[in-house]
């Protein structure tokens, strides 16, 4: 359960809510340009673009949940159970393990256009990172300031969808989410007009009534609609601090409160962390469920020409 958004105003921002019932040992990590990236398809890169993002702590490979590279290309993986169908490695075309998708994409490409051109040959495989870590069923949102796409590996093959709203949640498939937005075409941030009847003198009795019908539950379909509505109607001053505040306000509106969403296991999903990335400055910002202070880490405060993974020095 997650929500990912883009936001463009004074700059271009990318981030997400990570909704889980537990922590995965997440840390803000920098992959410097000269850290050797070895992929399961036999490819090894001794140099590549530098990356910063939230990852599971590892010394051998950056297991990113969301990240950005030095060119401003950002990517996040979101839960996609039931629909994700990874392929078995066949030794043909471009084969990338699901856990490698973000590191491969952000390590190699500077724009969405570059990535999508190669991804016409892509197959996401079911290769596991380790025996005790089976592949997570994911789909991905990939964005730069000019283009946003969603990547879904399903039973019928790989699909790449243009994403004009810059929002992604979970199931169903992305094309369903876009079709479903048509159900809310009458929503507005303005005061509504009386279209009920010409014979009745009806008028709103409170502010905000133009958005009656905006879903407020925590399902992925409702979160998609709510995030898209808030983002499309967002108004903020054109400065970085205002944009960051607005970005987190949008994510807060689709965040999960402990106790509101019980899983099949009887545990509770919460918004473990919310992130906001200034893609043009390489700054990763985040807050956690238990600490609403925004912490910041910048890839350029670290040794981006190094050859070891770096746990980023983040500060309030």
């Amino acid at each position: 359960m997650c929500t990912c958004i883009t936001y463009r105003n004074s700059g271009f921002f990318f981030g997400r809510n990570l909704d889980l019932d537990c922590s995965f040992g997440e840390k803000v990590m920098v992959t410097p340009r000269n850290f050797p990236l070895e992929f399961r398809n036999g490819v090894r890169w001794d140099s590549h673009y530098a990356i910063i993002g939230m990852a599971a702590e590892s010394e051998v490979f950056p297991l990113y949940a969301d990240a950005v590279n030095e060119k401003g290309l950002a990517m996040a993986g979101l839960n996609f159970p039931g629909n994700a169908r990874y392929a078995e490695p066949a030794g043909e075309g471009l084969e990338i393990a699901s856990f490698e998708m973000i590191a491969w994409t952000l390590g190699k490409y500077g724009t969405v256009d570059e990535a999508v051109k190669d991804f016409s040959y892509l197959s996401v495989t079911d290769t596991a990172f380790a025996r005790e870590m089976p592949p997570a069923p994911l789909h991905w949102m990939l964005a730069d300031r000019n283009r946003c796409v969603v990547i879904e590996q399903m039973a019928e093959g790989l699909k790449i969808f243009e994403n004009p709203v810059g929002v992604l949640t979970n199931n169903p498939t992305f094309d369903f989410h876009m079709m479903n937005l048509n159900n809310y075409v009458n929503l507005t941030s303005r005061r509504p007009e009386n279209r009920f009847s010409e014979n009745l003198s009806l008028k709103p009795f409170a502010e905000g009534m133009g958005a009656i019908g905006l879903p407020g539950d925590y399902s992925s379909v409702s979160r998609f609609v709510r995030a898209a509505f808030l983002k499309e109607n967002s108004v903020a001053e054109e400065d970085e601090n205002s944009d960051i505040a607005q970005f987190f306000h949008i994510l807060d509106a689709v965040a999960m409160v402990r106790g509101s969403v019980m899983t099949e296991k009887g545990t509770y999903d919460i918004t473990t962390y919310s992130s906001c990335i200034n893609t043009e400055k390489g700054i990763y910002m985040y807050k956690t469920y238990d600490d609403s202070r925004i912490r910041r880490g910048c890839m350029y405060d670290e040794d981006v020409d190094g050859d070891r993974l770096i746990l980023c020095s983040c500060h309030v």
Side-chain angles (χ1 to χ4, degrees):
M1 304 289 284
C2 303
T3 305
C4 184
I5 64 172
T6 63
Y7 187 79
R8 185 167 57 189
N9 193 32
S10 67
F12 181 67
F13 298 83
F14 180 100
R16 59 101 59 81
N17 284 343
L18 193 289
D19 304 323
L20 280 178
D21 60 354
C22 61
S23 170
F24 62 89
E26 60 273 9
K27 304 286 185 181
V28 178
M29 179 178 290
V30 172
T31 301
R33 296 172 183 137
N34 297 310
F35 173 77
L37 286 171
E38 298 187 43
F39 300 93
R40 299 299 174 88
N41 60 12
V43 173
R44 174 186 167 113
W45 297 337
D46 290 320
S47 63
H48 46 76
Y49 292 134
I51 307 168
I52 186 172
M54 192 71 81
E57 189 169 354
S58 169
E59 295 182 355
V60 296
F61 195 87
L63 299 171
Y64 284 115
D66 53 283
V68 68
N69 69 14
E70 60 186 285
K71 294 297 183 178
L73 182 64
M75 191 173 190
L78 286 77
N79 201 28
F80 196 46
N83 285 309
R85 289 288 188 275
Y86 301 142
E88 293 185 7
E92 301 176 354
L94 176 58
E95 295 183 330
I96 305 173
S98 58
F99 70 87
E100 299 172 330
M101 274 290 290
I102 295 180
W104 176 284
T105 304
L106 301 188
K108 183 174 184 179
Y109 306 111
T111 65
V112 173
D113 289 347
E114 290 177 13
V116 168
K117 183 178 180 180
D118 271 9
F119 284 178
S120 59
Y121 308 99
L122 173 66
S123 179
V124 183
T125 71
D126 61 1
T127 305
F129 176 69
R131 181 175 299 178
E132 66 276 11
M133 292 179 62
L138 302 173
H139 57 174
W140 295 267
M141 190 161 89
L142 177 67
D144 58 32
R145 69 176 295 111
N146 298 313
R147 188 180 179 189
C148 180
V149 298
V150 171
I151 302 159
E152 297 180 342
Q153 178 79 51
M154 295 183 286
E156 58 270 34
L158 185 84
K159 292 190 176 182
I160 299 176
F161 299 98
E162 296 295 329
N163 185 350
V165 296
V167 173
L168 184 62
T169 55
N170 312 104
N171 291 327
T173 58
F174 182 73
D175 52 349
F176 173 92
H177 286 294
M178 289 301 299
M179 177 62 70
N180 183 57
L181 284 181
N182 291 288
N183 289 319
Y184 302 93
V185 68
N186 282 320
L187 296 187
T188 177
S189 62
R190 299 178 177 89
R191 289 176 64 87
E193 299 177 1
N194 176 19
R195 290 183 289 183
F196 187 89
S197 171
E198 294 180 355
N199 301 318
L200 297 174
S201 178
L202 303 176
K203 60 182 180 180
F205 54 80
E207 300 298 336
M209 293 178 68
I212 288 177
L214 181 67
D217 63 87
Y218 293 105
S219 69
S220 56
V221 172
S222 294
R223 283 183 285 109
F224 187 98
V225 175
R226 196 156 70 253
F229 178 83
L230 294 172
K231 203 191 107 165
E232 290 299 313
N233 289 282
S234 170
V235 177
E237 297 294 329
E238 291 190 19
D239 63 80
E240 184 178 12
N241 288 337
S242 297
D243 285 344
I244 293 167
Q246 189 79 337
F247 195 99
F248 278 113
H249 281 307
I250 294 171
L251 290 181
D252 286 344
V254 291
M256 294 184 180
V257 176
R258 183 179 284 118
S260 61
V261 179
M262 181 182 288
T263 70
E264 289 182 332
K265 300 178 293 184
T267 57
Y268 295 102
D269 274 348
I270 62 170
T271 298
T272 304
Y273 73 84
S274 302
S275 65
C276 173
I277 307 171
N278 185 324
T279 66
E280 296 165 341
K281 296 182 178 180
I283 298 174
Y284 189 96
M285 294 161 279
Y286 75 99
K287 62 180 183 176
T288 66
Y289 188 88
D290 294 315
D291 190 345
S292 60
R293 293 177 300 174
I294 297 173
R295 289 174 166 79
R296 302 168 182 245
C298 179
M299 73 164 70
Y300 300 110
D301 290 341
E302 311 296 340
D303 181 10
V304 292
D305 290 316
D307 59 4
R308 294 186 180 183
L309 294 176
I310 303 167
L311 293 182
C312 191
S313 303
C314 295
H315 56 86
V316 176

